[in-house]
Structures are given as C-alpha cells and as structure tokens.
Amino acid sequence: MNDQCVYVTRPDLPPLEDFIPYLEEIWDSKILTNGGPFHHQLEKALCAYLGVEHIALFANGTLALVTALQALRVTGDVITTPYSFVATAHSLLWNGIKPVFVDIDPKTFNMDPAKIEVAITPQTTAILPVHCHGYSCDVDRIQRIADTYGLKVIYDAAHAFGVRDRGGSVLRHGDLSILSFHATKVFNTFEGGAIVCPDKKTKQRIDYLKNFGIADETTVIAPGINGKMNEIQAAMGVLQLRDVDEAIHCRGEVDSLYRQELDGVKGISIPEKPTTVRHNFSYFPILIEPHYPLSRDALYEKLKSKGIFTRRYFYPLITEYPMYRGLPSAHKGNLIMASDVASKALCLPIYPSLSIEQVNKIVSFLRE
Ligand code: T4K
C-alpha cells in the first residue's frame, strides 16, 4: 500500500482517539466475546438504523451466508448468480448444496427473474440472489416466483447496507438477508456480517447456530458453528454507525462527479442510477465497450501503472472457477449477459475520503 496510490476502496475509520474509550470499557469488563454488551448494543442500533426488526451479528458475511442456509435447512439445488464474489456460491458448496447458475440482467447486473423460472426443477429448494453493487434485485418478481414454486429466498445483501426502496429497507425482502461488514464495505467492523431475520424465533435459531448450537450449559440443539462477532468488532460497529450517513453522502458526491465527468465519453457506459429511494454508492462500476480505444484489461493495467488500482468485479465469473465450471448451468451459452458484463466491467475507486482532485485525475486518464 502506498499513499500516492488510489485503491478501489479504503475503509472508513473514525479518529483513533474516539475508539480508545470503547477499548477501555472492554479492558475493564474483560468481556471479549460470546454476546457481550457491545454485541447487544450493535444489534439494537443496527435494527434502528436499518429499520428492521431482528439482526444476528456474525464474525463475517460468509459465515452468515453458510449459517442462513443451515437455519432454513436448505438442501438440494439452489438458483443463484455467477456474477458475484465467490463467497456467494461457496456458501452453497459448504452446505453440500448444488448451485444452479442463471444469467443476469445487463442493466442491473442482478439475476434475471425470467431466467430463474425456467431453471426451476423438482430439486430446487431456494433462490440466492445478490443485490449486486447495492442495486436492488427485482424483489417482487422473485417473491412471486418463490411463492408459486414454494421456494425459500435468501438475499446476499453484502453490498446493500442502508439501501431503501419505497417500502423501507431492502433487507426486509425474502426469508433472510445477509450483510457483510468487511473492511471494504460501506459500513465496516474490520470483518463482520449479519443476518436480518423476520421474527424472534428465527433469530433465536440463528443465534444458537452461530454459537455451536449451544442453548444452555448442558444443551446443544444443532451442529452449530462458531460464527460470533467479538466485542472489539461490535464496539467498532457502534462507533462507525455514528458517521455512516456522512460516509454514504460523501460516496454519493463521488458517484455524481463520475457520472457528470464521464458522461458522453466514447466507449464507456455507466449503469443507470438505481431506482431505490436511497442508494449506498458502495461501488462505481463502468463498462468498457469495444469501441473504447483500449481493451478493459489494457485499461486496467494502464491505470495500475499510474497508481490507480481499479478492480474487475466480478471477473472471472464464479462459474469459471474449477469447483463450478463442470456444472451444466456454468456453460457460457447459459450465461451470455453475465459473460459479456464480466468482460467489460471495471469498478472505479469510490470511498468517502476520495478527493475531487483524485476523481478528476482518474477521469482524465479515462478520457485520454
Ligand atoms: N457476498 C458478496 C456479494 C460479497 O461481495 C462478499 C464480500 C461476501 C458475500 C462475503 O462477505 P465477507 O465474508 O467478506 O464479510 C473484497 C473483500 O475481501 C470481500 O469482503 C468483498 N465481498 C469483495 C467484493 O471484495 P478483494 O479480494 O477484492 O479485497 P482486497 O483485499 O483486494 O481489497 C480491495 C481494496 O481495498 C485494496 O486494494 C485496498 C483496500 N483495502 C482492503 C482491505 C482488506 C484496504 O484499504 N484495507 C483493507 O483492510 O475482496
């Protein structure tokens, strides 16, 4: 890491001195984990901030995904997207579930609901869509399909912290939604994650599962895992919540500046602004079209040579990795849009402390 370089993201951090009193409290109490006071405080504060009823915190988003599938006893085949971070599909394999990949909508990069319906078989038990880059999935159509065929829906909402549609938080949709609080996310607890649950009973089950299945000192009700968030992570979360609106606001300014400055640049297309009433500006993806003077990969390398570290999220597609490529649904002909988007996508740097000068520098390289 080099201060002269610009990265696709940088974690948002409070001033260190603001965190010291939280550490002192942890040192005094000697409660470091297993559902301590900061854990409790963060769950409550997140419910209030996000406008949801129940949240179970996790050590990271991947454990939250794995546990969500366990909690709903999902088995068999699950329909999901190839256009995501690999953790989405890995959570299925860790549960012995077969992923069935379907193509995406090239406008939102989210699963195309029309493709979901034709992929359903008697083995299908659930749908695992991703709100990619914080753009909401077509939640109404997905729910209609799930209701018609009796399927569960678990949203991988790792990118969708704070996103709201007309009815409230997008995290209320489906049976469960999963969040990631990784260092690279809009809201971070260094590492962290959560499951948004619809009711107390489901949260209770998830709380057991993330703590080895322990119900009390002498009772273990399920083969649970250790997915608990520790007190330092939770304290960081409580503090980070204080500044998250400001952070999202700053991200929004960067987004607007890119949109304004890149408008009309030949060979660059920008996904339309999302239709949600509140976006979180977690990523700024652009597509490098064939008539741009450089290929996407040549541009990526050129920017890197100038100290600008963009990312090709999500290239390669999940379906190109060895543990997935043998599946019938991983065939390229089944994933025409996803393959096309993966070959063109470039995520530009976006984070609250990115300056106007830095954005202008990136834009001028792209225009060159
Ligand atoms: N589902 C979806 C849809 C996801 O996107 C993710 C995670 C998950 C599930 C799983 O959630 P977690 O289990 O991670 O909570 C990153 C993240 O590691 C990953 O969390 C994230 N998605 C994914 C999209 O991106 P990399 O390999 O691109 O990260 P890395 O280390 O290259 O970081 C990117 C840039 O961020 C660096 O160039 C500089 C900056 N950075 C990164 C870290 C870790 C920092 O400045 N400080 C840091 O501490 O995967």
PDB file of all heavy atoms in Angstrom, residues 191-203:
ATOM      1  N   GLU A 191     -13.809  -6.952  10.086  1.00  0.00           N
ATOM      2  CA  GLU A 191     -14.512  -8.088   9.488  1.00  0.00           C
ATOM      3  C   GLU A 191     -15.852  -8.119  10.212  1.00  0.00           C
ATOM      4  O   GLU A 191     -15.939  -7.717  11.371  1.00  0.00           O
ATOM      5  CB  GLU A 191     -13.791  -9.410   9.770  1.00  0.00           C
ATOM      6  CG  GLU A 191     -12.470  -9.595   9.064  1.00  0.00           C
ATOM      7  CD  GLU A 191     -12.585 -10.355   7.744  1.00  0.00           C
ATOM      8  OE1 GLU A 191     -13.717 -10.631   7.287  1.00  0.00           O
ATOM      9  OE2 GLU A 191     -11.527 -10.668   7.185  1.00  0.00           O
ATOM     10  N   GLY A 192     -16.864  -8.625   9.559  1.00  0.00           N
ATOM     11  CA  GLY A 192     -18.142  -8.733  10.248  1.00  0.00           C
ATOM     12  C   GLY A 192     -19.255  -9.032   9.270  1.00  0.00           C
ATOM     13  O   GLY A 192     -19.068  -8.953   8.055  1.00  0.00           O
ATOM     14  N   GLY A 193     -20.381  -9.393   9.819  1.00  0.00           N
ATOM     15  CA  GLY A 193     -21.535  -9.676   8.980  1.00  0.00           C
ATOM     16  C   GLY A 193     -22.772  -9.818   9.840  1.00  0.00           C
ATOM     17  O   GLY A 193     -22.706  -9.693  11.071  1.00  0.00           O
ATOM     18  N   ALA A 194     -23.887 -10.064   9.194  1.00  0.00           N
ATOM     19  CA  ALA A 194     -25.142 -10.196   9.947  1.00  0.00           C
ATOM     20  C   ALA A 194     -26.184 -10.902   9.105  1.00  0.00           C
ATOM     21  O   ALA A 194     -26.088 -10.940   7.877  1.00  0.00           O
ATOM     22  CB  ALA A 194     -25.658  -8.818  10.347  1.00  0.00           C
ATOM     23  N   ILE A 195     -27.157 -11.469   9.803  1.00  0.00           N
ATOM     24  CA  ILE A 195     -28.360 -11.978   9.134  1.00  0.00           C
ATOM     25  C   ILE A 195     -29.532 -11.139   9.622  1.00  0.00           C
ATOM     26  O   ILE A 195     -29.718 -10.970  10.837  1.00  0.00           O
ATOM     27  CB  ILE A 195     -28.622 -13.466   9.467  1.00  0.00           C
ATOM     28  CG1 ILE A 195     -27.418 -14.333   9.065  1.00  0.00           C
ATOM     29  CG2 ILE A 195     -29.891 -13.952   8.770  1.00  0.00           C
ATOM     30  CD1 ILE A 195     -27.606 -15.829   9.341  1.00  0.00           C
ATOM     31  N   VAL A 196     -30.280 -10.617   8.682  1.00  0.00           N
ATOM     32  CA  VAL A 196     -31.521  -9.913   9.014  1.00  0.00           C
ATOM     33  C   VAL A 196     -32.636 -10.951   9.003  1.00  0.00           C
ATOM     34  O   VAL A 196     -32.827 -11.651   7.998  1.00  0.00           O
ATOM     35  CB  VAL A 196     -31.803  -8.784   7.995  1.00  0.00           C
ATOM     36  CG1 VAL A 196     -33.141  -8.118   8.285  1.00  0.00           C
ATOM     37  CG2 VAL A 196     -30.668  -7.766   8.015  1.00  0.00           C
ATOM     38  N   CYS A 197     -33.328 -11.096  10.140  1.00  0.00           N
ATOM     39  CA  CYS A 197     -34.343 -12.153  10.265  1.00  0.00           C
ATOM     40  C   CYS A 197     -35.725 -11.532  10.467  1.00  0.00           C
ATOM     41  O   CYS A 197     -35.844 -10.457  11.057  1.00  0.00           O
ATOM     42  CB  CYS A 197     -34.082 -13.061  11.462  1.00  0.00           C
ATOM     43  SG  CYS A 197     -32.449 -13.043  12.168  1.00  0.00           S
ATOM     44  N   PRO A 198     -36.765 -12.249  10.019  1.00  0.00           N
ATOM     45  CA  PRO A 198     -38.108 -11.676  10.072  1.00  0.00           C
ATOM     46  C   PRO A 198     -38.750 -11.751  11.454  1.00  0.00           C
ATOM     47  O   PRO A 198     -39.659 -10.989  11.756  1.00  0.00           O
ATOM     48  CB  PRO A 198     -38.895 -12.546   9.088  1.00  0.00           C
ATOM     49  CG  PRO A 198     -38.168 -13.855   9.084  1.00  0.00           C
ATOM     50  CD  PRO A 198     -36.734 -13.557   9.354  1.00  0.00           C
ATOM     51  N   ASP A 199     -38.335 -12.700  12.295  1.00  0.00           N
ATOM     52  CA  ASP A 199     -39.020 -12.873  13.583  1.00  0.00           C
ATOM     53  C   ASP A 199     -38.042 -13.357  14.646  1.00  0.00           C
ATOM     54  O   ASP A 199     -36.945 -13.816  14.356  1.00  0.00           O
ATOM     55  CB  ASP A 199     -40.188 -13.851  13.437  1.00  0.00           C
ATOM     56  CG  ASP A 199     -39.727 -15.160  12.838  1.00  0.00           C
ATOM     57  OD1 ASP A 199     -38.984 -15.889  13.503  1.00  0.00           O
ATOM     58  OD2 ASP A 199     -40.056 -15.437  11.658  1.00  0.00           O
ATOM     59  N   LYS A 200     -38.534 -13.288  15.879  1.00  0.00           N
ATOM     60  CA  LYS A 200     -37.730 -13.626  17.060  1.00  0.00           C
ATOM     61  C   LYS A 200     -37.288 -15.092  17.053  1.00  0.00           C
ATOM     62  O   LYS A 200     -36.159 -15.423  17.425  1.00  0.00           O
ATOM     63  CB  LYS A 200     -38.608 -13.385  18.303  1.00  0.00           C
ATOM     64  CG  LYS A 200     -37.932 -12.552  19.364  1.00  0.00           C
ATOM     65  CD  LYS A 200     -38.928 -12.215  20.417  1.00  0.00           C
ATOM     66  CE  LYS A 200     -38.200 -12.059  21.746  1.00  0.00           C
ATOM     67  NZ  LYS A 200     -39.102 -11.641  22.794  1.00  0.00           N
ATOM     68  N   LYS A 201     -38.205 -15.950  16.613  1.00  0.00           N
ATOM     69  CA  LYS A 201     -37.945 -17.387  16.640  1.00  0.00           C
ATOM     70  C   LYS A 201     -36.786 -17.739  15.700  1.00  0.00           C
ATOM     71  O   LYS A 201     -35.893 -18.515  16.048  1.00  0.00           O
ATOM     72  CB  LYS A 201     -39.220 -18.123  16.185  1.00  0.00           C
ATOM     73  CG  LYS A 201     -39.467 -19.415  16.932  1.00  0.00           C
ATOM     74  CD  LYS A 201     -40.862 -19.921  16.667  1.00  0.00           C
ATOM     75  CE  LYS A 201     -40.791 -21.177  15.835  1.00  0.00           C
ATOM     76  NZ  LYS A 201     -42.085 -21.617  15.347  1.00  0.00           N
ATOM     77  N   THR A 202     -36.817 -17.130  14.519  1.00  0.00           N
ATOM     78  CA  THR A 202     -35.737 -17.398  13.553  1.00  0.00           C
ATOM     79  C   THR A 202     -34.419 -16.854  14.085  1.00  0.00           C
ATOM     80  O   THR A 202     -33.381 -17.501  13.985  1.00  0.00           O
ATOM     81  CB  THR A 202     -36.075 -16.752  12.187  1.00  0.00           C
ATOM     82  OG1 THR A 202     -37.407 -17.102  11.849  1.00  0.00           O
ATOM     83  CG2 THR A 202     -35.134 -17.212  11.103  1.00  0.00           C
ATOM     84  N   LYS A 203     -34.466 -15.670  14.668  1.00  0.00           N
ATOM     85  CA  LYS A 203     -33.228 -15.105  15.233  1.00  0.00           C
ATOM     86  C   LYS A 203     -32.684 -16.026  16.335  1.00  0.00           C
ATOM     87  O   LYS A 203     -31.480 -16.269  16.412  1.00  0.00           O
ATOM     88  CB  LYS A 203     -33.467 -13.695  15.781  1.00  0.00           C
ATOM     89  CG  LYS A 203     -32.218 -13.173  16.510  1.00  0.00           C
ATOM     90  CD  LYS A 203     -32.293 -11.717  16.871  1.00  0.00           C
ATOM     91  CE  LYS A 203     -31.368 -11.329  18.017  1.00  0.00           C
ATOM     92  NZ  LYS A 203     -29.963 -11.684  17.863  1.00  0.00           N
TER      93      LYS A 203
END
